[in-house]
Amino acid sequence: MSWLEATVLENRHWTEALFSLRVQAPKVAFEAGQFVRLALDIGGERVARPFSFVNAPEDPVLEFYGIVVPEGPLSPRLEKLAAGERLYVASNPAGFLVLSEVPDAETLWLVSTGTGIAPYLSILRTEAPWKRFRNVVLVHAVRHAKELVYREVIGKIPDLKYVTFVSREPHAPSLAGRIPAAIRDGRLEAAAGMALDAASSHVMLCGNPQMLRDAAAALAERGMRKHRRRNPGHITVESFW
Ligand SMILES: Cc1cc2nc3c(=O)[nH]c(=O)nc-3n(C[C@H](O)[C@H](O)[C@H](O)COP(=O)(O)OP(=O)(O)OC[C@H]3O[C@@H](n4cnc5c(N)ncnc54)[C@H](O)[C@@H]3O)c2cc1C
Ligand SMILES: NC(=O)c1ccc[n+]([C@@H]2O[C@H](COP(=O)([O-])OP(=O)(O)OC[C@H]3O[C@@H](n4cnc5c(N)ncnc54)[C@H](OP(=O)(O)O)[C@@H]3O)[C@@H](O)[C@H]2O)c1
């Protein structure tokens, strides 16, 4: 692994805490859904954290979507980067939240909380989902409606079913509450207009680790289990912390 020098082209702020960095860097090969470590030198040390690619693999400009964790060492500094400033990108993208690891199914569910939507935006910018699955559903759960980011991009994706949750204020037609409860009581299926079961579905889960556990437990009640290469199943997960 080596570090590649990158330059910020744009740092878009969606809210006071949410930002998207577009950076110019030497080409790195990755599969949509993977992540790479971003780093800054802070107090004489290189501080690195994984970030999922938001851009499609063939896009020469790299894009990352982040949130400020106020007490964290890296994210508040990434949020402040301006056009022309430097950061480092690791040369070795990695990760298994990729469609090449997902078995065939009728419906692909891309389920996220918060910044966990990032890898799905990359996946949805490729042709693979549309070639392999009859239905594709993107689920994004956030605290506040203003955190429903990338709606322009999402709105232009033909045939995508987009279901949102806003948990801390009323925001119809977004669903209220949390994803696991809506799996259990059928509201998620009703909102998507699709069956969510072992016979038809593969579910990718990304974001808050507690959501991953709670959603996997709700899916287990429907006979769905984690996917492993040697023991195929219906759920693929990536935890952000
Ligand atoms: C595989 C992988 C991919 C990731 N991709 C992204 C991404 O695309 N965008 C992104 O913003 N972060 C992503 N993260 C998290 C990211 O690596 C950092 O942890 C995050 O940016 C905070 O960094 P920090 O140094 O400020 O604080 P840290 O010391 O890394 O984190 C402190 C705490 O902040 C909380 N936290 C961390 N990340 C998040 C988050 N994304 N949303 C809400 N709370 C969080 C957790 O409670 C964590 O314990 C990813 C993590 C992993 C493991
Ligand atoms: N100004 C700032 O700097 C600022 C502002 C906001 C946030 N932050 C940072 O960002 C962090 C939060 O980020 P976030 O809002 O993107 O992530 P989050 O806390 O994971 O919340 C995102 C969505 O996931 C839901 N969720 C949480 N736990 C769940 C579970 N067990 N099962 C199902 N759903 C679950 C939340 O619902 P609930 O609402 O029901 O929990 C919410 O709808 C904070 O800890 C803070 O550090 C910073």
Side-chain angles (χ1 to χ4, degrees):
M1 195 279 288
S2 57
W3 288 107
L4 307 171
E5 276 196 25
T7 307
V8 175
L9 296 174
E10 185 191 1
N11 192 352
R12 172 174 181 175
H13 288 77
W14 304 87
T15 67
E16 63 287 350
L18 298 175
F19 60 96
S20 288
L21 275 175
R22 286 170 59 75
V23 310
Q24 192 79 58
K27 180 137 183 73
V28 280
F30 71 95
E31 183 174 349
Q34 287 193 309
F35 61 85
V36 71
R37 285 189 303 144
L38 301 184
L40 292 172
D41 289 338
I42 304 168
E45 270 185 49
R46 189 150 296 178
V47 178
R49 294 286 185 272
F51 277 78
S52 302
F53 293 96
V54 169
N55 57 292
E58 70 275 10
D59 191 334
V61 174
L62 304 185
E63 186 172 340
F64 304 98
Y65 171 54
I67 187 165
V68 176
V69 177
E71 67 281 10
L74 189 66
S75 58
R77 290 175 170 88
L78 290 177
E79 184 268 334
K80 287 192 179 64
L81 288 177
E85 291 193 290
R86 295 293 178 90
L87 70 160
Y88 296 96
V89 177
S91 60
N92 59 341
F96 295 101
L97 193 78
V98 291
L99 290 186
S100 61
E101 295 285 340
V102 167
D104 287 336
E106 195 175 310
T107 304
L108 176 67
W109 297 78
L110 305 172
V111 176
S112 59
T113 54
T115 53
I117 193 173
Y120 301 146
L121 293 165
S122 182
I123 288 172
L124 289 168
R125 285 169 158 161
T126 68
E127 288 181 359
W130 319 106
K131 286 189 171 156
R132 289 199 41 211
F133 304 92
R134 188 184 303 169
N135 311 307
V136 183
V137 185
L138 174 67
V139 180
H140 192 201
V142 297
R143 295 178 179 189
H144 301 285
K146 65 184 179 184
E147 295 157 354
L148 291 172
V149 294
Y150 285 100
R151 272 177 291 184
E152 283 162 42
V153 173
I154 293 163
K156 285 187 192 139
I157 302 173
D159 302 327
L160 176 69
K161 267 280 173 198
Y162 175 49
V163 178
T164 57
F165 287 73
V166 174
S167 54
R168 300 199 183 185
E169 61 185 347
H171 184 258
S174 293
L175 299 179
R178 289 181 164 187
I179 292 166
I183 292 172
R184 288 200 171 92
D185 64 18
R187 281 184 303 137
L188 181 54
E189 278 178 310
M194 316 273 168
L196 173 52
D197 56 31
S200 67
S201 298
H202 191 93
V203 182
M204 299 173 96
L205 300 173
C206 186
N208 183 312
Q210 197 57 52
M211 181 280 284
L212 306 187
R213 283 189 285 274
D214 295 352
L219 293 169
E221 292 163 18
R222 293 176 172 243
M224 301 171 81
R225 60 173 185 274
K226 290 258 177 81
H227 175 69
R228 315 223 184 271
R229 282 183 184 168
R230 287 193 197 157
N231 183 17
H234 324 91
I235 306 169
T236 304
V237 301
E238 183 168 85
S239 176
F240 268 13
W241 67 92

